[in-house]
Amino acid sequence: MMGYTLPAVLSVPAVVAAELLWLRTGLFRRPGYWISMVIVVAFQVPVDGWLTRLPDPIVGYNPDEMTGLRFPFDIPVEDYLFGFSLVTLTLLCWLRAKKKEEAA
């Protein structure tokens, strides 16, 4: 599998597993989390679309390292996977740190 695609694909189940099996913050049950993800995607689409637009991208990707699937506005689908993982893992770490602080 491609060098950008594989980590993107593996990052999603890794973050979900971290929440469900280890951190157990309850993040996925919070409506605020899902609202925040909608907000993230609402901003990601125009910004990422502008940065990766073809044929004149600001950010380039090695086509041999990804699937080549782009939607919408030429956004590589891998960017959505990484976006989910990065935002979710950040929130999970934040909640975990807050929980430890409250326990102290």
Side-chain angles (χ1 to χ4, degrees):
M1 194 172 273
M2 282 77 36
Y4 184 59
T5 303
L6 183 61
V9 169
L10 293 178
S11 70
V12 173
V15 169
V16 171
E19 163 60 2
L20 298 178
L21 302 174
W22 175 46
L23 298 170
R24 297 183 177 155
T25 66
L27 181 66
F28 296 143
R29 293 189 305 268
R30 297 177 183 211
Y33 166 72
W34 296 105
I35 292 168
S36 70
M37 293 308 292
V38 169
I39 293 168
V40 166
V41 171
F43 282 95
Q44 181 180 4
V45 168
V47 172
D48 205 348
W50 175 67
L51 290 171
T52 61
R53 72 190 181 284
L54 297 175
D56 188 26
I58 294 170
V59 176
Y61 295 92
N62 181 345
D64 297 332
E65 299 293 322
M66 51 192 294
T67 63
L69 298 173
R70 294 173 171 260
F71 178 81
F73 309 119
D74 299 326
I75 301 169
V77 295
E78 292 90 347
D79 284 3
Y80 295 106
L81 300 174
F82 268 130
F84 167 86
S85 297
L86 291 171
V87 171
T88 302
L89 186 58
T90 299
L91 293 172
L92 290 171
C93 291
W94 188 7
L95 289 171
R96 180 66 175 225
K98 182 180 175 186
K99 190 175 184 180
K100 282 187 174 185
E101 183 179 294
E102 289 171 353

